[in-house]
Amino acid sequence: MSNPSAPSAASVDMTTKVGGRIVTPALPVVSAQPPTEVELSFQQQLETYCKENVPLESTDGIQRRERALNRMGQLARDWIRHVCLKKGFPPDVVNIAGGQLFTSGSYRLGVHEPGADIDTILVAPNMCTQEDFFGEVFENDKRDPESLAERIRQHPDVSNFVPVEGAAVPILTFDWEGVNIDLLFARLNSTSVPPTLDIDNDAILDGVDGATEKSLNGPRVTNLIAKLVGGTKDRYQTFLTVVRCVRKWCKSRGLYSNKMGYWGGVNINIAVALCVQLYPLDCPASLLRKFFLVFKTWRWPTPVMLTRPHDAGYGLTVWSSQHSHRQVAPIITPAYPAMNSTLATSRQTLQIMHEEFCRGHAIIDKLWKKHQEEPDVELDWGELFIPSDFFILYPNYLSLCIVGPTQTDAQAWAGFVESRLRKLVSDMLGRSLPLSKIQLWPKKIEACVADKGALLTRAQRENCSTYFVGFQIDTLRMRGRQLNIELQLSNFREWELSKFMPFVTGMDLVAKSFTVKELPTLCFETFMNVSKIEAMQRRKALRKADPRRQEKKRLRRLQELKARMAEIKKRKEEEEEEEKEAAETMQKEENHDGDEEESEVTIERKRKREDEEELIIKEEVDQVEIKASDPEDDNAPAADNSEEANLLENIYDTIAQEEKTREEAEADRQKLLAGELLDEGDLDDDEEEEDNMYTGDARETYIFRHKKNLNRQQVTSKRALPLGKEEIEILQNVGVAVVSDDEQKVIGGNMVQPWRNARSDITMPVKIYFTTKWDIVELDSDGHIIDKGDDDFKPSRNWTGRMAGFEFKLGERGLGYYRTGKKVIVPSNTAY
């Protein structure tokens, strides 16, 4: 029951003043009830767990970060002063030029963990340009030594320096005394940047360019979030605690990467801040439970926003729902100009996040119910944060190795490729292939997991990072037995990777396919902290406990029992007919008394056995049906959860863009997760959307063939030839992590048991192997294969007219002219 003296939802004022403007929350307060004694004891257990498992930066680490920022700020102000003097400005202008260093993200809020990076923005006057920031290029590709980039590079405390000048938001990434720093550059339309500069005032954006607008959005958004949740000290501490827990949860479950379609730091901050606005007086444990409830039931694609977007009148593009037809799960930044911070989120990544929200809510709700029943029992909060089972969830996997000729080139190349991997996975593979589910694991492995037949040099294998993609084939949409993804990989290289400048020979993206049992042991040891055998045992247990598999097994058993009952009934009817015929025959005979008695006893015994067998089968059928009607897990929500859900639904009704019932809204959300509600449009439209995106924070053919009538030895023979032992030893001696085929131990798959072939009703899994023949080829200076006179195919994007002896069509080598009479294999997925 609610406390009569507790403040009502209307009495809690969540408005704040930022940059001279009054900011009002977009949604009303759902509940303003203070925490009960049970909730406070629930919070004590979460606080104990966080102290041991969610550590903050130590005092020495904080002091080292502050020291690095102070020294870098002084270095930046000296550079601004040097630029002003070099360009001939008078001393009074030079003295007031100033320059300020701002921080954003987790460091600004105070929730950064040990080893986290610092997002910094250098705000400079208009005398300093981006060319001054990176330095003018001289002969021999040398930069101006007086530029800020070169001053930082040459500083004795700086290491791992990587400039990214060609990005939409230019950035410098480096380590200063072991502290990783991402430095952005913002050029104001002003001749002075005083220490009293109010970066939260919208007037600061007057006359700035696009890169500066995006750079300033980071600290402006972070400051506004802190203001919106900082009404009281307890409320702000609650916000920080829940943010720390959600960050740890996202990283453990493989959901922490904004550029790959999941949630980043700013998305988590906005999502938790929204929950604080809805439940301003909740303790951290209760708010964490409400967080999962809110986003488990959120009506996507309804945008998540802390305040309504406003237009300050400076000509910048402000997010509007009228232009969000392709945005799946928008989370809108609160500062001007409002923009979608989850533009990279796709239907596939939303499906994965929704499953994780449901899992998280089920776990924490179970802990809450257990604590209500037994307050003194210690709760297992670690279940919420256990590492993801990604590497045992899917039957098929794809490794994507990003290789480069040198360490410097590989770092720049890897950053570019990583920002576009979501397009390969969600836009190209997810749209065009008959897949029921596909997931990109956002964490990389510093190892070369490419096929050994790939033409990679020693330097490329040394400078390599690998990402994994798990996917499941939709057998209902699968046409034929072959699935060719060479076209998608080729288009990805041509349409996306070709944009990187300057491209250096040796930069490439190499792919390789695996089944779950063929994955390298490095995957399980790195991300699951278990051996491969333990991971396979866990996979077997998960598959055995899967409710869908149990239901299929139950239905199959029920069908078998009913078939046996029908057979017994049919046999009884036949026997009754035989008995009638025998009785009529025996009545006609004169001497049949002894035989009749003997046959009656035999028939009676046989009938008794059949009745007993039928009774046993009926009892087993009843048990199977009772098991289906009485599940072990009781998923019915408690009364308080139902009340909380109804309050949230009322809030959702207030922000609904269209007049829809709750049932219609839920149906639309399910259609969105299934990909039926999304207007995917053209891939070329992504260029324009990327301009408005929030920025705060060798060709191979893969064949998927069913195992029916497939010899295991034939599959093994189609693998690429392995490297020599000497070459592997040389690479391993220099510290290169090389995953060999010998390490890919196939657990439980080395022998086909005879009883497996006895079942013909089981759908066999899919086998993946390479068909490309690796040959030694000759490359030109640009890294392209030299044409040696193959006249069977001439590539062409468009039909240019009739060509004698050729036919214009789409085949395995792409679109173009194929020689008449040559066999052309058309990819099976072209209809998708």
Side-chain angles (χ1 to χ4, degrees), residues 399 401 403 447-454 456 461 464 466 510-512 514 700 739 741 744:
S399 67
C401 297
V403 299
C448 185
V449 197
D451 194 292
K452 293 178 184 179
L456 297 178
R461 293 186 181 273
C464 178
T466 303
V510 183
K512 183 180 179 180
F514 298 88
E700 295 168 320
V739 179
D741 288 341
Q744 297 169 6

Side-chain angles (χ1 to χ4, degrees), residues 233-290:
K233 183 178 180 181
D234 292 341
R235 186 186 304 165
Y236 189 72
Q237 288 300 322
T238 297
F239 166 76
L240 296 184
T241 302
V242 177
V243 166
R244 289 168 55 198
C245 293
V246 175
R247 284 170 62 92
K248 178 178 176 62
W249 171 76
C250 284
K251 292 180 179 181
S252 300
R253 304 302 298 176
L255 305 176
Y256 192 83
S257 179
N258 181 273
K259 63 184 177 183
M260 294 189 180
Y262 302 104
W263 277 11
V266 65
N267 312 127
I268 295 174
N269 297 339
I270 296 175
V272 176
L274 176 71
C275 296
V276 173
Q277 289 182 339
L278 298 177
Y279 306 96
L281 300 183
D282 275 18
C283 62
S286 297
L287 189 66
L288 182 61
R289 185 170 63 90
K290 304 289 180 54

Side-chain angles (χ1 to χ4, degrees), residues 574-591:
E574 293 176 352
E575 290 174 354
E576 290 178 356
E577 292 293 334
E578 292 178 356
E579 290 177 5
K580 290 181 180 180
E581 294 178 359
E584 294 176 357
T585 305
M586 290 179 1
Q587 287 178 359
K588 297 179 182 180
E589 298 179 356
E590 296 180 354
N591 300 322

Side-chain angles (χ1 to χ4, degrees), residues 24-288:
T24 305
L27 299 179
V29 175
V30 174
S31 174
Q33 297 294 330
T36 62
E37 293 183 0
V38 179
E39 290 177 333
L40 291 177
S41 61
F42 190 51
Q43 159 59 23
Q44 287 293 333
Q45 297 213 26
L46 176 62
E47 186 176 350
T48 302
Y49 177 83
C50 290
K51 288 181 179 179
E52 299 176 357
N53 300 278
V54 192
L56 285 174
E57 188 75 53
S58 62
T59 304
D60 294 339
I62 293 175
Q63 292 176 353
R64 184 171 65 253
R65 289 171 180 270
E66 292 177 351
R67 183 170 61 251
L69 290 176
N70 290 335
R71 292 180 179 178
M72 189 176 66
Q74 185 60 46
L75 180 66
R77 284 186 287 272
D78 293 341
W79 167 74
I80 293 174
R81 183 178 180 86
H82 169 77
V83 171
C84 294
L85 292 174
K86 181 180 178 180
K87 295 186 177 181
F89 288 95
D92 55 342
V93 175
V94 175
N95 293 333
I96 65 173
Q100 296 298 321
L101 203 65
F102 294 91
T103 59
S104 64
S106 60
Y107 181 81
R108 161 66 180 83
L109 295 174
V111 294
H112 57 282
E113 57 270 7
D117 59 354
I118 304 179
D119 298 322
T120 58
I121 298 91
L122 173 61
V123 181
N126 57 7
M127 293 86 77
C128 303
T129 64
Q130 181 177 325
E131 185 178 4
D132 298 326
F133 182 77
F134 285 94
E136 184 181 356
V137 181
F138 298 147
E139 296 180 357
N140 299 327
D141 294 334
K142 291 185 178 181
R143 297 275 184 172
D144 183 2
E146 295 299 329
S147 65
L148 181 60
E150 289 300 313
R151 291 189 180 201
I152 295 176
R153 184 203 298 269
Q154 297 171 7
H155 197 279
D157 295 333
V158 172
S159 60
N160 299 327
F161 180 86
V162 179
V164 184
E165 185 177 2
V169 181
I171 186 175
L172 297 178
T173 300
F174 52 90
D175 293 340
W176 191 303
E177 295 185 10
V179 179
N180 183 255
I181 297 177
D182 294 338
L183 179 61
L184 303 178
F185 176 70
R187 177 173 178 259
L188 297 186
N189 187 22
S190 173
T191 58
S192 175
V193 182
T196 58
L197 176 70
D198 185 7
I199 197 174
D200 299 322
N201 196 311
D202 295 338
I204 199 174
L205 298 174
D206 187 15
V208 301
D209 55 28
T212 297
E213 170 202 339
K214 292 180 175 62
S215 299
L216 292 175
N217 213 348
R220 285 167 52 82
V221 167
T222 306
N223 293 345
L224 186 50
I225 292 174
K227 284 283 187 180
L228 287 170
V229 299
T232 63
K233 183 178 180 181
D234 292 341
R235 186 186 304 165
Y236 189 72
Q237 288 300 322
T238 297
F239 166 76
L240 296 184
T241 302
V242 177
V243 166
R244 289 168 55 198
C245 293
V246 175
R247 284 170 62 92
K248 178 178 176 62
W249 171 76
C250 284
K251 292 180 179 181
S252 300
R253 304 302 298 176
L255 305 176
Y256 192 83
S257 179
N258 181 273
K259 63 184 177 183
M260 294 189 180
Y262 302 104
W263 277 11
V266 65
N267 312 127
I268 295 174
N269 297 339
I270 296 175
V272 176
L274 176 71
C275 296
V276 173
Q277 289 182 339
L278 298 177
Y279 306 96
L281 300 183
D282 275 18
C283 62
S286 297
L287 189 66
L288 182 61

Side-chain angles (χ1 to χ4, degrees), residues 748-759:
N750 298 323
M751 181 182 299
V752 180
Q753 300 296 337
W755 55 269
R756 288 186 177 273
N757 295 328
R759 298 288 298 275

Side-chain angles (χ1 to χ4, degrees), residues 13-27:
D13 186 13
M14 299 294 294
T15 60
T16 185
K17 186 175 182 180
V18 180
R21 183 174 65 90
I22 301 297
V23 180
T24 305
L27 299 179

